[in-house]
Amino acid sequence: MEPHNWTDIIAENRDVAPGGLWRPRDCLARHRVAIVVPYRDRESHLKVFLRHMHKFLQKQELDYGIYIIDEALPTRFNRAMLMNIGYAEASKQANYSCYIFHDVDLLPEDDRNIYNCPEQPRHMSAAIDKFSYKLPYYGIFGGVSAFKKEHFNLINGFSNKFFGWGGEDDDLYERTRFHKLKLTRYSMKIARYKMIKHNNEPLNRPNPKRMTLLYSGKKRFKTDGLNSLKYQRLDLQKRPLYTWVHVNITE
Ligand code: UD2
Ligand code: MN
Protein backbone atom coordinates (compact mmCIF):
# COMPACT_ATOMS: atom_id res chain seq x y z
CA MET A 1 0.00 0.00 0.00
CA GLU A 2 1.34 3.43 -0.90
CA PRO A 3 2.17 5.78 1.96
CA HIS A 4 -0.21 8.65 2.64
CA ASN A 5 0.24 11.82 4.57
CA TRP A 6 -2.22 13.22 7.05
CA THR A 7 -2.83 16.44 5.12
CA ASP A 8 -4.11 14.51 2.11
CA ILE A 9 -6.22 12.12 4.17
CA ILE A 10 -7.83 15.00 6.02
CA ALA A 11 -8.44 16.86 2.75
CA GLU A 12 -10.19 13.80 1.30
CA ASN A 13 -12.56 13.79 4.28
CA ARG A 14 -13.65 17.39 4.66
CA ASP A 15 -17.21 16.41 5.61
CA VAL A 16 -16.04 14.62 8.73
CA ALA A 17 -16.51 16.73 11.85
CA PRO A 18 -13.75 17.09 14.47
CA GLY A 19 -13.56 13.97 16.59
CA GLY A 20 -14.20 11.75 13.55
CA LEU A 21 -17.97 12.26 13.59
CA TRP A 22 -20.27 12.11 10.61
CA ARG A 23 -23.98 11.78 9.97
CA PRO A 24 -26.10 11.74 6.82
CA ARG A 25 -27.47 15.12 5.81
CA ASP A 26 -30.91 14.26 4.48
CA CYS A 27 -32.07 11.50 6.76
CA LEU A 28 -32.10 10.60 10.38
CA ALA A 29 -30.04 7.47 10.96
CA ARG A 30 -31.76 4.81 13.02
CA HIS A 31 -28.75 4.07 15.20
CA ARG A 32 -25.78 5.99 16.50
CA VAL A 33 -22.69 3.87 16.19
CA ALA A 34 -19.39 4.24 18.06
CA ILE A 35 -16.39 2.56 16.44
CA VAL A 36 -13.90 1.77 19.22
CA VAL A 37 -10.31 0.99 18.22
CA PRO A 38 -7.60 -0.26 20.62
CA TYR A 39 -4.35 1.37 19.65
CA ARG A 40 -0.66 1.87 20.24
CA ASP A 41 2.03 2.95 17.80
CA ARG A 42 0.48 1.77 14.55
CA GLU A 43 0.33 5.03 12.68
CA SER A 44 0.72 3.49 9.24
CA HIS A 45 -2.26 1.21 9.96
CA LEU A 46 -4.29 4.09 11.33
CA LYS A 47 -3.90 6.07 8.12
CA VAL A 48 -5.04 3.20 5.95
CA PHE A 49 -7.85 2.40 8.38
CA LEU A 50 -9.28 5.92 8.46
CA ARG A 51 -9.02 6.39 4.71
CA HIS A 52 -10.96 3.20 4.21
CA MET A 53 -13.48 3.43 7.05
CA HIS A 54 -14.83 6.95 6.65
CA LYS A 55 -15.78 6.28 3.03
CA PHE A 56 -17.09 2.82 3.88
CA LEU A 57 -19.29 3.99 6.76
CA GLN A 58 -20.60 7.00 4.88
CA LYS A 59 -21.85 4.80 2.04
CA GLN A 60 -23.98 3.08 4.67
CA GLU A 61 -25.47 6.42 5.78
CA LEU A 62 -24.60 5.77 9.39
CA ASP A 63 -24.44 8.29 12.19
CA TYR A 64 -21.06 7.39 13.64
CA GLY A 65 -17.94 8.43 15.54
CA ILE A 66 -14.47 6.86 15.56
CA TYR A 67 -12.65 6.56 18.91
CA ILE A 68 -8.96 5.64 19.02
CA ILE A 69 -7.99 4.48 22.48
CA ASP A 70 -4.24 4.83 22.78
CA GLU A 71 -2.49 3.03 25.64
CA ALA A 72 0.50 4.86 27.15
CA LEU A 73 3.81 3.08 27.76
CA PRO A 74 5.20 1.07 29.48
CA THR A 75 2.36 -1.28 30.44
CA ARG A 76 1.78 -4.39 28.34
CA PHE A 77 -0.93 -3.94 25.75
CA ASN A 78 -4.43 -4.70 27.01
CA ARG A 79 -6.79 -4.75 24.05
CA ALA A 80 -9.85 -5.70 26.08
CA MET A 81 -9.42 -2.98 28.66
CA LEU A 82 -9.00 -0.40 25.89
CA MET A 83 -12.35 -1.55 24.51
CA ASN A 84 -13.98 -0.98 27.91
CA ILE A 85 -12.38 2.45 28.13
CA GLY A 86 -13.56 3.28 24.60
CA TYR A 87 -17.06 2.28 25.56
CA ALA A 88 -16.97 4.49 28.66
CA GLU A 89 -15.44 7.50 26.92
CA ALA A 90 -17.62 7.34 23.78
CA SER A 91 -20.71 7.07 25.99
CA LYS A 92 -19.73 10.35 27.64
CA GLN A 93 -19.51 12.05 24.24
CA ALA A 94 -22.83 10.99 22.72
CA ASN A 95 -25.81 8.76 23.17
CA TYR A 96 -24.67 5.74 21.17
CA SER A 97 -26.93 2.72 20.90
CA CYS A 98 -24.40 0.51 19.12
CA TYR A 99 -20.71 -0.19 19.73
CA ILE A 100 -18.38 -1.79 17.24
CA PHE A 101 -15.06 -2.94 18.69
CA HIS A 102 -12.52 -2.86 15.89
CA ASP A 103 -8.87 -3.82 15.39
CA VAL A 104 -7.02 -1.09 13.51
CA ASP A 105 -5.57 -3.52 10.98
CA LEU A 106 -8.84 -4.91 9.61
CA LEU A 107 -10.51 -3.49 6.51
CA PRO A 108 -14.01 -4.65 5.53
CA GLU A 109 -14.19 -5.52 1.85
CA ASP A 110 -17.91 -5.83 1.18
CA ASP A 111 -20.42 -2.98 1.33
CA ARG A 112 -23.17 -5.37 2.40
CA ASN A 113 -21.33 -5.78 5.71
CA ILE A 114 -23.53 -3.28 7.52
CA TYR A 115 -22.05 -1.66 10.60
CA ASN A 116 -25.08 -1.65 12.85
CA CYS A 117 -26.06 -3.69 15.87
CA PRO A 118 -28.60 -6.40 15.27
CA GLU A 119 -30.80 -7.97 17.97
CA GLN A 120 -27.95 -10.30 19.00
CA PRO A 121 -24.18 -9.59 19.15
CA ARG A 122 -22.42 -9.99 15.83
CA HIS A 123 -18.95 -11.24 15.04
CA MET A 124 -18.16 -9.14 11.98
CA SER A 125 -14.71 -10.33 10.88
CA ALA A 126 -15.55 -13.95 10.11
CA ALA A 127 -13.66 -14.23 6.83
CA ILE A 128 -10.15 -12.75 6.90
CA ASP A 129 -7.62 -13.04 4.07
CA LYS A 130 -4.90 -14.04 6.55
CA PHE A 131 -6.97 -17.13 7.45
CA SER A 132 -7.77 -17.84 3.79
CA TYR A 133 -11.24 -16.35 4.39
CA LYS A 134 -12.17 -19.31 6.60
CA LEU A 135 -13.44 -19.22 10.16
CA PRO A 136 -10.53 -20.59 12.27
CA TYR A 137 -12.90 -22.01 14.96
CA TYR A 138 -16.56 -21.60 15.80
CA GLY A 139 -16.28 -19.44 18.91
CA ILE A 140 -13.74 -16.96 17.54
CA PHE A 141 -14.80 -13.46 18.52
CA GLY A 142 -11.63 -11.41 17.87
CA GLY A 143 -11.12 -8.77 15.22
CA VAL A 144 -14.38 -6.86 14.93
CA SER A 145 -17.48 -7.34 17.10
CA ALA A 146 -20.75 -5.42 17.41
CA PHE A 147 -22.89 -5.06 20.54
CA LYS A 148 -26.00 -3.12 21.37
CA LYS A 149 -25.36 -0.93 24.37
CA GLU A 150 -27.67 -2.92 26.62
CA HIS A 151 -25.95 -6.20 25.75
CA PHE A 152 -22.46 -4.87 26.35
CA ASN A 153 -23.67 -3.70 29.75
CA LEU A 154 -25.34 -7.01 30.44
CA ILE A 155 -22.11 -8.97 29.95
CA ASN A 156 -20.13 -6.39 31.97
CA GLY A 157 -17.96 -5.61 28.93
CA PHE A 158 -14.62 -7.30 28.40
CA SER A 159 -12.39 -8.62 31.16
CA ASN A 160 -9.68 -6.17 32.32
CA LYS A 161 -7.22 -8.91 33.21
CA PHE A 162 -5.71 -9.90 29.88
CA PHE A 163 -2.37 -8.13 29.40
CA GLY A 164 -0.40 -9.05 26.29
CA TRP A 165 -1.67 -11.05 23.35
CA GLY A 166 -4.59 -13.47 23.40
CA GLY A 167 -7.46 -14.89 25.41
CA GLU A 168 -9.54 -11.74 25.78
CA ASP A 169 -11.57 -12.50 22.65
CA ASP A 170 -12.43 -16.04 23.81
CA ASP A 171 -13.37 -14.66 27.22
CA LEU A 172 -15.76 -12.26 25.47
CA TYR A 173 -17.34 -15.20 23.70
CA GLU A 174 -17.78 -17.01 27.03
CA ARG A 175 -19.42 -13.93 28.55
CA THR A 176 -21.78 -13.69 25.62
CA ARG A 177 -22.77 -17.35 25.90
CA PHE A 178 -23.07 -17.25 29.67
CA HIS A 179 -25.65 -14.47 29.37
CA LYS A 180 -27.64 -16.51 26.86
CA LEU A 181 -26.89 -14.18 24.00
CA LYS A 182 -26.38 -15.66 20.60
CA LEU A 183 -23.38 -14.87 18.48
CA THR A 184 -24.43 -14.07 14.91
CA ARG A 185 -22.47 -13.60 11.69
CA TYR A 186 -23.03 -12.46 8.16
CA SER A 187 -22.38 -15.02 5.47
CA MET A 188 -18.74 -15.72 4.68
CA LYS A 189 -19.19 -13.92 1.36
CA ILE A 190 -20.11 -10.71 3.13
CA ALA A 191 -17.98 -10.84 6.29
CA ARG A 192 -14.72 -10.48 4.36
CA TYR A 193 -11.74 -8.46 5.63
CA LYS A 194 -8.16 -7.74 4.73
CA MET A 195 -5.67 -7.70 7.59
CA ILE A 196 -2.78 -5.26 7.18
CA LYS A 197 0.51 -7.12 7.67
CA HIS A 198 2.30 -6.69 10.98
CA ASN A 199 4.55 -8.37 13.49
CA ASN A 200 3.75 -9.00 17.12
CA GLU A 201 4.97 -6.04 19.23
CA PRO A 202 7.24 -6.76 22.23
CA LEU A 203 4.56 -5.42 24.61
CA ASN A 204 1.92 -7.60 22.99
CA ARG A 205 3.62 -10.99 23.14
CA PRO A 206 1.40 -14.00 23.85
CA ASN A 207 0.37 -13.85 27.47
CA PRO A 208 1.56 -17.05 29.16
CA LYS A 209 -1.36 -16.83 31.63
CA ARG A 210 -4.06 -16.48 29.00
CA MET A 211 -5.40 -20.03 29.20
CA THR A 212 -5.49 -20.05 33.00
CA LEU A 213 -7.33 -16.74 32.96
CA LEU A 214 -9.71 -17.99 30.33
CA TYR A 215 -10.60 -21.21 32.18
CA SER A 216 -11.23 -19.36 35.44
CA GLY A 217 -12.99 -16.44 33.73
CA LYS A 218 -16.54 -17.42 34.59
CA LYS A 219 -16.18 -16.76 38.28
CA ARG A 220 -15.13 -13.20 37.49
CA PHE A 221 -17.79 -12.23 34.92
CA LYS A 222 -19.77 -10.32 37.55
CA THR A 223 -16.83 -8.51 39.14
CA ASP A 224 -14.25 -8.03 36.38
CA GLY A 225 -15.27 -5.74 33.54
CA LEU A 226 -17.05 -2.43 33.08
CA ASN A 227 -17.91 -2.30 36.76
CA SER A 228 -14.27 -2.65 37.88
CA LEU A 229 -12.66 -0.52 35.18
CA LYS A 230 -9.87 1.76 36.45
CA TYR A 231 -7.77 4.01 34.24
CA GLN A 232 -6.29 7.43 34.03
CA ARG A 233 -7.30 9.58 31.08
CA LEU A 234 -4.21 11.53 30.10
CA ASP A 235 -5.79 13.39 27.20
CA LEU A 236 -8.78 13.56 24.90
CA GLN A 237 -8.52 15.40 21.61
CA LYS A 238 -11.08 15.83 18.88
CA ARG A 239 -8.70 15.38 15.98
CA PRO A 240 -9.93 15.90 12.42
CA LEU A 241 -10.68 12.25 11.69
CA TYR A 242 -11.02 10.63 15.11
CA THR A 243 -11.37 11.24 18.80
CA TRP A 244 -8.03 10.44 20.39
CA VAL A 245 -8.14 9.19 23.96
CA HIS A 246 -4.75 8.70 25.57
CA VAL A 247 -4.90 6.52 28.65
CA ASN A 248 -2.67 5.11 31.29
CA ILE A 249 -3.46 1.75 32.85
CA THR A 250 -1.56 -0.34 35.32
CA GLU A 251 -1.06 -4.02 35.54
C1 UD2 B 1 -5.94 -11.46 16.98
C2 UD2 B 1 -7.39 -11.00 16.97
C3 UD2 B 1 -7.50 -9.76 17.84
C4 UD2 B 1 -7.10 -10.09 19.26
C5 UD2 B 1 -5.70 -10.71 19.26
C6 UD2 B 1 -5.32 -11.30 20.59
C7 UD2 B 1 -8.56 -11.53 14.94
C8 UD2 B 1 -8.77 -11.22 13.53
N1 UD2 B 1 -7.77 -10.70 15.61
O1 UD2 B 1 -5.20 -10.41 16.38
O2 UD2 B 1 -8.79 -9.22 17.81
O3 UD2 B 1 -8.06 -10.97 19.83
O4 UD2 B 1 -5.55 -11.77 18.31
O5 UD2 B 1 -5.15 -10.35 21.55
O6 UD2 B 1 -9.12 -12.50 15.45
N2 UD2 B 1 -2.66 -3.11 18.78
C9 UD2 B 1 -1.99 -1.90 18.61
N3 UD2 B 1 -0.69 -1.79 18.98
C10 UD2 B 1 0.00 -2.84 19.53
C11 UD2 B 1 -0.67 -4.07 19.70
C12 UD2 B 1 -2.00 -4.18 19.30
O7 UD2 B 1 -2.56 -0.93 18.11
O8 UD2 B 1 1.19 -2.66 19.88
C13 UD2 B 1 -4.11 -3.20 18.49
C14 UD2 B 1 -4.45 -3.06 17.03
O9 UD2 B 1 -5.73 -2.49 16.91
C15 UD2 B 1 -4.46 -4.52 16.61
C16 UD2 B 1 -5.13 -5.19 17.81
O10 UD2 B 1 -4.63 -4.45 18.92
O11 UD2 B 1 -5.14 -4.73 15.40
C17 UD2 B 1 -4.88 -6.69 17.97
O12 UD2 B 1 -3.48 -6.96 18.01
P1 UD2 B 1 -2.74 -7.75 16.82
O13 UD2 B 1 -3.25 -7.24 15.52
O14 UD2 B 1 -1.28 -7.66 17.04
O15 UD2 B 1 -3.17 -9.25 17.05
P2 UD2 B 1 -3.65 -10.38 16.01
O16 UD2 B 1 -3.57 -9.91 14.61
O17 UD2 B 1 -3.01 -11.65 16.33
MN1 MN C 1 -3.79 -8.06 13.64
Side-chain angles (χ1 to χ4, degrees):
M1 233 156 300
E2 75 260 46
H4 296 282
N5 64 61
W6 283 113
T7 318
D8 293 347
I9 303 171
I10 293 165
E12 285 167 9
N13 288 284
R14 281 193 211 289
D15 309 347
V16 175
L21 314 179
W22 186 88
R23 64 170 61 150
R25 238 178 252 152
D26 348 302
C27 63
L28 192 64
R30 220 172 306 165
H31 310 274
R32 297 193 75 179
V33 185
I35 312 287
V36 174
V37 181
Y39 182 83
R40 172 189 272 163
D41 193 24
R42 292 225 187 155
E43 196 182 354
S44 63
H45 289 193
L46 184 59
K47 286 177 176 169
V48 177
F49 178 77
L50 292 169
R51 271 194 97 216
H52 185 78
M53 292 310 292
H54 280 297
K55 292 280 173 286
F56 178 86
L57 296 168
Q58 287 166 19
K59 268 193 239 162
Q60 301 187 358
E61 307 249 284
L62 297 166
D63 180 339
Y64 70 87
I66 298 184
Y67 295 84
I68 305 294
I69 317 302
D70 187 345
E71 184 185 327
L73 292 167
T75 315
R76 277 198 290 169
F77 197 72
N78 188 329
R79 175 179 180 271
M81 200 164 167
L82 296 175
M83 299 305 198
N84 287 342
I85 296 171
Y87 173 82
E89 291 294 332
S91 306
K92 287 188 216 162
Q93 297 294 321
N95 188 18
Y96 293 108
S97 53
C98 169
Y99 291 79
I100 301 197
F101 301 99
H102 211 302
D103 283 4
V104 74
D105 56 14
L106 289 172
L107 309 171
E109 295 180 29
D110 195 304
D111 290 328
R112 293 169 297 178
N113 186 352
I114 304 296
Y115 272 46
N116 62 9
C117 287
E119 206 28 65
Q120 294 291 323
R122 176 181 280 150
H123 180 231
M124 312 279 289
S125 53
I128 301 179
D129 60 350
K130 189 183 164 183
F131 305 126
S132 315
Y133 294 108
K134 292 194 177 87
L135 198 66
Y137 55 97
Y138 179 77
I140 191 166
F141 211 177
V144 185
S145 53
F147 280 85
K148 286 165 72 141
K149 185 185 189 115
E150 64 202 76
H151 287 158
F152 197 64
N153 266 311
L154 174 71
I155 66 168
N156 198 16
F158 281 82
S159 163
N160 297 310
K161 300 215 176 282
F162 289 84
F163 289 85
W165 183 93
E168 87 297 338
D169 49 343
D170 297 329
D171 183 83
L172 183 73
Y173 174 64
E174 293 304 329
R175 285 173 184 242
T176 304
R177 252 179 20 138
F178 179 81
H179 290 90
K180 307 262 183 299
L181 297 174
K182 213 175 141 330
L183 183 151
T184 63
R185 291 188 176 102
Y186 281 119
S187 81
M188 297 300 274
K189 281 194 191 118
I190 293 177
R192 285 168 74 93
Y193 285 77
K194 277 194 177 43
M195 193 194 282
I196 307 169
K197 293 208 169 51
H198 62 79
N199 297 322
N200 210 291
E201 290 84 356
L203 288 170
N204 197 30
R205 288 271 145 75
N207 172 10
K209 298 217 179 93
R210 67 188 185 281
M211 295 321 273
T212 318
L213 281 168
L214 184 60
Y215 295 143
S216 61
K218 194 170 163 183
K219 62 176 190 233
R220 287 187 304 271
F221 291 165
K222 277 206 184 77
T223 53
D224 161 28
L226 289 175
N227 65 2
S228 66
L229 182 63
K230 286 200 185 70
Y231 64 100
Q232 188 188 4
R233 195 178 91 184
L234 303 172
D235 203 355
L236 183 147
Q237 292 175 14
K238 293 193 173 185
R239 293 187 175 172
L241 299 180
Y242 58 93
T243 298
W244 180 65
V245 188
H246 195 208
V247 296
N248 185 41
I249 59 176
T250 44
E251 198 169 334

